Amino acid sequence: SIPKVESGNDDISDPVVQTVNAKKGDTVTLNVYVNTKDAIAARVQVSYDDSVFEFVSSACEGGQSNNGLYMLYSLTDVINGRIGTITLKVKDTASDGVYMISLSEMSVRYK
């Protein structure tokens, strides 16, 4: 299976999750990025098909994460738009294919 990203809300432009190739049973760690040019704080959610992926962990720079929810308190400290990572396991029952992992903005605060 190949996790891939869908663009999210325009308030945080071009949110992306790194694209990777993976096989059934693989554990993959994906980098999560947002364009933070005018935002100072944000709350974003990574979504995925839980019939294909099992959540393993997430980490956030400049804030905290919990099960793919990122709460960013200091986007001015984010380097190159990388806000953190999410680690997922591809379930052994997953069908081969391309799967979308989306990142959506839930709230954002501007300067």
Side-chain angles (χ1 to χ4, degrees), residues 73-111:
Y73 308 118
S74 181
L75 290 179
T76 55
D77 296 335
V78 172
I79 298 171
N80 295 325
R82 182 177 179 273
I83 62 169
T85 60
I86 187 164
T87 302
L88 302 171
K89 180 177 187 239
V90 182
K91 293 183 177 181
D92 292 331
T93 56
S95 299
D96 292 343
V98 175
Y99 294 96
M100 303 304 279
I101 296 175
S102 63
L103 183 63
S104 59
E105 171 262 326
M106 298 175 68
S107 64
V108 64
R109 192 173 77 223
Y110 292 99
K111 296 176 188 174

Side-chain angles (χ1 to χ4, degrees), residues 1-5 18-30 48-54 88-101:
S1 59
I2 305 170
K4 194 176 175 184
V5 72
Q18 179 183 24
T19 300
V20 299
N21 293 322
K23 298 177 186 161
K24 294 175 188 177
D26 283 357
T27 299
V28 294
T29 298
L30 306 167
Y48 52 87
D49 184 341
D50 61 6
S51 70
V52 175
F53 300 104
E54 177 182 326
L88 302 171
K89 180 177 187 239
V90 182
K91 293 183 177 181
D92 292 331
T93 56
S95 299
D96 292 343
V98 175
Y99 294 96
M100 303 304 279
I101 296 175

Side-chain angles (χ1 to χ4, degrees), residues 15 31 64 70-71 73 86 91:
N31 290 309
Q64 62 183 341
Y70 296 81
M71 291 167 281
Y73 308 118
I86 187 164
K91 293 183 177 181

Side-chain angles (χ1 to χ4, degrees), residues 26-52:
D26 283 357
T27 299
V28 294
T29 298
L30 306 167
N31 290 309
V32 181
Y33 297 91
V34 295
N35 180 343
T36 61
K37 67 179 180 181
D38 292 321
I40 57 172
R43 185 175 170 173
V44 295
Q45 176 71 55
V46 174
S47 300
Y48 52 87
D49 184 341
D50 61 6
S51 70
V52 175

